[in-house]
Amino acid sequence: MARNREALLLLLDVGPSMHSVLPQVEKLCSMLVQKKLIYGKNDEVGIVLFGTEDTSNDLTNEVGGYEHVVVLRNIKVVDGDLVEAFKQLPRGTVAGDFIDAIVVGLDMLIKKYRETNKGKKRICLITDAVCPIKDPYEGTKEEQVSTIAVQMAAHGIKMENIIVRRSSCGNVNKRIIDENENLLNLFSEKSSSKTVYVDSPTSLLGALRTRNIAPVTIFRGDLELGQKMKIKVWVYKKTAEEKFPTLKKYSDKAPPTDKFATREVKVDYEYKSVEDPSKAVPPEQRIKGYRYGPQVVPISSAEWEAVKFKPEKSLKLLGFTDPSNILRHYYMKDVNLFIAEPGNTRAMLAVSSLARAMKEMNKVAILRCVWRQGQQSVVVGVLTPSLSEKHNIPDSFYFNVLPFIEDVREFQFPSFSNYPMSWQPNEQQQEVADNLVKMLDLAPSGKGESLQPEFTPNPVLEVF
């Protein structure tokens, strides 16, 4: 499997306790495949169902056990048939055992890709985890989970666990839920596994990552605190705007029976001379022109290069200030993450010391950044300390770009009290306006936050 492709295996609980949320699961998986057809048409996806009345998997035939686990689709390149498979998932009749499903999925990935670590291999488990797990033939359940986690780590397989939690769960055994959560936490501790809990259809639709984006540094070098003090840091993008897929021109002129036709439309531009429209002007005889009033001033590429601003790649500290001086709406563009150079103990200690000192003194830093050599755009931003609560994760910084004075947009609106009484809202109008604001409140008192950004898909992208 190529390095830029992903193999995703979906483990779906279709047992009786999941029947009420299966329509949302079907919609989630269908949207996932549709996005992969746009963004990653070479990705491979497989489907395993557990909690079914039937049993159909290789491990049952080879060693026995692993009952009520069905391989609905082997791991293959995404296609339109996969979208159809999610339109009506079968409803199971028995309690689902997610450990059996994980073992079956792990076996499928290992057999297909063997010892190769190329590409990205991922398991996604969707269940409510309210059904008991069978005792293994040997050892304890915790030992079984540890063994599975070791195999996953050895073969470079990551896992996402999406656990559905509902307010009306009926007669659910609290002891079973606690035991299952403990087993899922063991996966997180001993392998590259992540568990998220969702409690609404909207959060379920946003819980599954549709595609993996490999982190790439935008800067590697020195963070200059002064002429004699520098810290080796790496900078990654923490967030990025989701771009719409590029739309290409296609033609239907090729015969449908031609399997090798790409049907892509190529656009070529040809420049003609004003004096002789029948003569094409070659690239070496063209020059860019820029309007200055009624005239067009020609400027060659050599002249542009001579006057172009070419700053040196650097990260320079300009000073410190109180966070109250940096208003939240000043932040621009994406958020970046500053970490110490991996493997550099002195850099890690320096970053941690600086971050903790800034946190203790309630300060943020102002930086001047040039990410690449010769990059024309210079950004000034604020560096905010981020202290880690885990012993195996070092401290770091978040970086937000700040606007220059010409980029600041201040919109000030006068108060209603400045207008005559005839323009003032009456009590009924004021009450309607207050109720509208209350309806738009995403975190009403006594309730959890609605539409959390981590679990809410972009509605515009979904419509597209």
Side-chain angles (χ1 to χ4, degrees):
M1 185 176 66
R3 190 175 297 276
N4 59 344
R5 297 182 187 178
E6 180 188 53
L8 174 63
L9 190 59
L10 296 169
L11 310 181
L12 308 180
D13 187 352
V14 295
S17 62
M18 286 285 291
H19 286 182
S20 61
V21 296
L22 280 182
Q24 285 78 31
V25 174
E26 292 169 345
K27 184 178 179 180
L28 166 65
C29 296
S30 180
M31 287 167 45
L32 167 72
V33 175
Q34 291 176 37
K35 285 187 178 181
K36 283 191 172 293
L37 286 172
I38 296 174
Y39 290 111
K41 59 184 179 181
N42 295 320
D43 289 356
E44 298 174 330
V45 176
I47 309 172
V48 174
L49 308 179
F50 62 100
T52 57
E53 185 176 357
D54 302 328
T55 301
S56 176
N57 61 80
D58 291 342
L59 282 181
T60 300
N61 300 330
E62 294 171 3
V63 299
Y66 304 99
E67 298 175 348
H68 309 298
V69 180
V70 172
V71 179
L72 186 64
R73 172 188 163 110
N74 286 313
I75 304 171
K76 295 190 296 185
V77 176
V78 291
D79 52 26
D81 295 337
L82 188 57
V83 179
E84 297 294 324
F86 287 117
K87 285 192 174 179
Q88 184 62 43
L89 292 174
R91 269 50 176 174
T93 58
V94 299
D97 188 326
F98 64 82
I99 295 295
D100 281 354
I102 292 174
V103 174
V104 171
L106 181 62
D107 177 70
M108 291 173 62
L109 288 170
I110 292 175
K111 285 179 178 177
K112 183 171 180 65
Y113 302 109
R114 300 297 174 184
E115 297 299 325
T116 177
N117 282 328
K118 294 181 179 179
K120 306 165 188 175
K121 291 166 282 188
R122 182 160 59 113
I123 292 175
C124 179
L125 171 69
I126 304 179
T127 180
D128 54 6
V130 299
C131 301
I133 303 300
K134 296 189 295 289
D135 292 321
Y137 294 112
E138 296 181 358
T140 63
K141 297 176 185 178
E142 289 76 10
E143 292 173 347
Q144 182 186 25
V145 167
S146 298
T147 303
I148 298 171
V150 168
Q151 288 296 317
M152 290 174 59
H155 291 85
I157 299 173
K158 298 182 179 180
M159 185 167 70
E160 287 181 72
N161 307 315
I162 301 176
I163 311 303
V164 181
R165 286 285 179 260
R166 289 154 291 172
S167 55
S168 56
C169 297
N171 298 324
V172 176
N173 192 323
K174 184 70 166 54
R175 182 189 61 82
I176 294 175
I177 293 180
D178 292 341
E179 182 184 45
N180 289 343
E181 289 185 355
N182 180 47
L183 296 177
L184 292 170
N185 290 333
L186 279 177
F187 275 113
S188 301
E189 294 174 4
K190 298 182 179 296
S191 65
S192 296
S193 175
K194 179 183 178 183
T195 302
V196 296
Y197 295 88
V198 297
D199 55 3
S200 67
T202 304
S203 57
L204 176 61
L205 294 177
L208 178 59
R209 268 200 335 270
T210 54
R211 58 190 180 124
N212 274 333
I213 301 177
V216 179
T217 55
I218 63 173
F219 179 90
R220 297 186 185 188
D222 295 330
L223 170 58
E224 301 180 24
L225 305 181
Q227 294 183 352
K228 297 182 179 180
M229 186 175 181
K230 301 178 181 179
I231 305 174
K232 294 287 185 182
V233 296
W234 286 13
V235 183
Y236 290 91
K237 276 195 173 184
K238 179 64 176 176
T239 62
E241 179 185 357
E242 183 72 58
K243 301 292 185 181
F244 280 81
T246 55
L247 300 180
K248 298 181 180 179
K249 296 181 182 293
Y250 286 90
S251 171
D252 58 355
K253 300 300 182 182
T257 55
D258 188 356
K259 297 181 179 179
F260 301 99
T262 61
R263 295 179 172 80
E264 292 186 6
V265 176
K266 294 184 178 180
V267 180
D268 291 329
Y269 293 93
E270 195 175 55
Y271 295 83
K272 301 287 188 177
S273 172
V274 177
E275 291 78 9
D276 187 3
S278 61
K279 182 180 178 182
V281 180
E284 60 272 11
Q285 296 182 12
R286 293 184 225 143
I287 189 172
K288 285 186 178 181
Y290 298 87
R291 288 195 176 277
Y292 184 76
Q295 300 177 340
V296 177
V297 180
I299 301 179
S300 65
S301 57
E303 291 172 326
W304 265 124
E305 287 295 322
V307 299
K308 187 181 293 184
F309 177 52
K310 298 178 182 178
E312 293 185 358
K313 170 183 173 182
S314 62
L315 294 179
K316 295 184 178 181
L317 174 70
L318 300 182
F320 297 94
T321 186
D322 292 332
S324 58
N325 295 328
I326 309 296
L327 302 181
R328 178 64 182 82
H329 66 272
Y330 285 170
Y331 293 173
M332 303 175 66
K333 300 183 179 180
D334 304 320
V335 184
N336 294 332
L337 178 67
F338 278 57
I339 65 171
E341 183 182 48
N344 189 334
T345 306
R346 297 178 64 185
M348 291 181 184
L349 290 174
V351 167
S352 180
S353 301
L354 180 62
R356 292 179 182 273
M358 289 170 59
K359 189 72 173 180
E360 183 178 347
M361 300 177 67
N362 193 29
K363 297 290 184 180
V364 294
I366 307 299
L367 298 186
R368 176 188 183 273
C369 305
V370 180
W371 305 120
R372 295 184 300 275
Q373 183 70 27
Q375 175 182 342
Q376 294 186 45
S377 58
V378 177
V379 296
V380 174
V382 56
L383 201 64
T384 307
S386 172
L387 305 187
S388 174
E389 297 179 354
K390 298 182 179 180
H391 68 279
N392 58 342
I393 299 178
D395 298 330
S396 57
F397 291 98
Y398 289 135
F399 178 82
N400 290 89
V401 178
L402 295 177
F404 292 98
I405 189 62
E406 60 268 19
D407 298 322
V408 177
R409 299 291 182 265
E410 295 286 356
F411 299 103
Q412 297 182 356
F413 301 95
S415 172
F416 277 117
S417 60
N418 296 338
Y419 294 104
M421 286 299 297
S422 59
W423 293 12
Q424 304 276 343
N426 56 38
E427 291 185 5
Q428 183 180 4
Q429 292 172 331
Q430 186 65 52
E431 183 180 1
V432 170
D434 292 343
N435 290 335
L436 175 62
V437 173
K438 292 178 182 178
M439 290 172 60
L440 298 176
D441 188 359
L442 296 179
S445 59
K447 297 182 180 179
E449 181 183 359
S450 304
L451 302 179
Q452 297 182 23
E454 298 86 351
F455 302 122
T456 305
N458 184 342
V460 179
L461 193 61
E462 300 307 320
V463 171
F464 177 86

